[in-house]
Amino acid sequence: MSNTSSKMGSKSFFSNILNAVGAGVVIALLPNALLGELLKFFKDGNELLESIFRLVTVVQSFMAFIVGVLAAHQFKFNGSGAAIIGASAMLGSGAIVFDGQTIMLKGIGDIINIILVVIIACFLYLILQGKLGSFEMIILPVLIPVVSGTIGLITLPYVQIITHTIGKVINSFTDLNPLTMSILISVTFSLLMVTPISLVAIATAISLTGLGSGAANMGIVAACVTFLFGSLRINSIGVNLVLLIGAAKMMIPVYLKHLIIAVPLIINGIVTGITAYLIGIKGTPLSAGFGYTGLVGPINALNRMSGDQMTNIILLFVGYFIVPFISGFVVHELCKKFIHSYNDEIYKFEIPKE
């Protein structure tokens, strides 16, 4: 390890972690986002498609490992170091569940806890690398995963309290009149979409259904279009395509570095909340956390609408794709004009370098 690496500042350290999280989320969630819902329609009775569906679903559960490996890459660790950090993140993520003698993969884990474990594992590797001589290959693969993974398992229940607390606040919105509820839930989900907090976990924890689920879904759409229009002029076509399909979680490092983005998120969240109320967009706890990705939100909403099917499809198309995209463009341009610190540059996504 070079002296430069050992003396890196805390800002550079956390920037490396956040960049790894942004890229890791995309790598882990994109296969299912692109193929998952499509495969559901065609996989029945087809063994090959069934297998592909299982694979793209399982990839998600390895998100912690992927984030850990990318973080190690950001720090220029060697191959064994990357494996150690990846394994540590996986162990403490919450995605691995121990049931008696059985070990299972369940969900993607808690992103906040993943970040915490990766920080601990990378810090330990940085201070121990090159200090143990010939014992390094014996001690580090044991010490770092066991220490950071155990800490992760200890902190996991406490970190999950954050999710449950936010869930209780959102659940209190359902006691308000439908329009107010719709706006508040939409704005909240818009603000939380590009954070380490799992919106699917929140929605399922409080069993968010009906208009509340639809408003949450539209809040995620608001976040996606906000980051899409911010990104269009500053990032590569690949980054913009990922945002277009709804994988806005990749922008976690961008959002946390530039919280002024909360302004367009709130405005677009209000617009989509009103839209959800006017159209009557509804959903389930699971669909609440997906936006238009894989058409999960629109399909669930369509199944819960009465009346003429074609009219409903047109309404949902307007609600999901016309109104939010117009709002996203207009709000972005107005924010650039009236907010001094707001510009295209703040949406720059730093792809981990080779």
Side-chain angles (χ1 to χ4, degrees), residues 25-98:
V25 166
V26 174
I27 294 171
L29 302 186
L30 198 57
N32 192 44
L34 281 174
L35 300 176
E37 290 304 308
L38 184 64
L39 288 169
K40 283 181 182 178
F41 286 104
F42 302 105
K43 68 183 179 64
D44 291 340
N46 188 308
E47 190 173 334
L48 176 60
L49 294 182
E50 285 276 6
S51 297
I52 295 174
F53 178 72
R54 293 191 195 101
L55 289 176
V56 298
T57 303
V58 169
V59 167
Q60 295 182 133
S61 295
F62 286 92
M63 184 178 74
F65 181 82
I66 295 168
V67 169
V69 170
L70 288 174
H73 179 73
Q74 288 283 89
F75 287 108
K76 304 293 191 295
F77 295 163
N78 57 26
S80 60
I84 290 169
I85 306 301
S88 301
M90 197 71 190
L91 291 173
S93 66
I96 295 178
V97 178
F98 302 94

Side-chain angles (χ1 to χ4, degrees), residues 18-275:
L18 290 175
N19 286 337
V21 171
V25 166
V26 174
I27 294 171
L29 302 186
L30 198 57
N32 192 44
L34 281 174
L35 300 176
E37 290 304 308
L38 184 64
L39 288 169
K40 283 181 182 178
F41 286 104
F42 302 105
K43 68 183 179 64
D44 291 340
N46 188 308
E47 190 173 334
L48 176 60
L49 294 182
E50 285 276 6
S51 297
I52 295 174
F53 178 72
R54 293 191 195 101
L55 289 176
V56 298
T57 303
V58 169
V59 167
Q60 295 182 133
S61 295
F62 286 92
M63 184 178 74
F65 181 82
I66 295 168
V67 169
V69 170
L70 288 174
H73 179 73
Q74 288 283 89
F75 287 108
K76 304 293 191 295
F77 295 163
N78 57 26
S80 60
I84 290 169
I85 306 301
S88 301
M90 197 71 190
L91 291 173
S93 66
I96 295 178
V97 178
F98 302 94
D99 183 16
Q101 299 298 314
T102 305
I103 299 174
M104 300 181 294
L105 288 176
K106 184 179 180 181
I108 63 175
D110 190 292
I111 302 181
I112 298 176
N113 217 56
I114 292 170
I115 294 173
L116 177 62
V117 174
V118 170
I119 287 172
I120 295 169
C122 288
F123 178 75
L124 289 174
Y125 196 89
L126 281 168
I127 63 174
L128 293 175
Q129 187 185 27
K131 305 280 179 61
L132 302 172
S134 59
F135 290 100
E136 184 170 300
M137 279 303 296
I138 299 173
I139 296 177
L140 293 189
V142 177
L143 181 66
I144 294 178
V146 169
V147 172
S148 57
T150 300
I151 292 174
L153 292 178
I154 293 171
T155 59
L156 183 61
Y158 300 99
V159 169
Q160 289 175 332
I161 290 174
I162 298 173
T163 300
H164 294 149
T165 302
I166 295 172
K168 289 179 181 178
V169 173
I170 293 173
N171 197 38
S172 69
F173 296 157
T174 60
D175 296 329
L176 305 173
N177 71 72
L179 177 58
T180 303
M181 175 198 74
S182 184
I183 292 172
L184 288 176
I185 290 179
S186 180
V187 169
T188 303
F189 269 64
S190 178
L191 288 170
L192 294 178
M193 171 58 182
V194 192
T195 70
I197 296 168
S198 171
L199 298 183
V200 174
I202 290 175
T204 52
I206 63 175
S207 298
L208 192 61
T209 59
L211 179 61
S213 172
N217 203 256
M218 290 298 289
I220 292 173
V221 174
C224 292
V225 298
T226 297
F227 280 91
L228 175 62
F229 282 104
S231 171
L232 274 178
R233 296 184 182 92
I234 197 68
N235 290 314
S236 67
I237 188 170
V239 171
N240 292 326
L241 284 174
V242 171
L243 289 172
L244 183 62
I245 66 169
K249 268 254 193 279
M250 68 183 290
M251 302 298 274
I252 288 174
V254 171
Y255 184 33
L256 295 183
K257 291 175 186 175
H258 305 285
L259 292 178
I260 191 65
I261 296 173
V263 174
L265 286 174
I266 291 171
I267 299 172
N268 286 321
I270 292 171
V271 172
T272 53
I274 295 171
T275 303

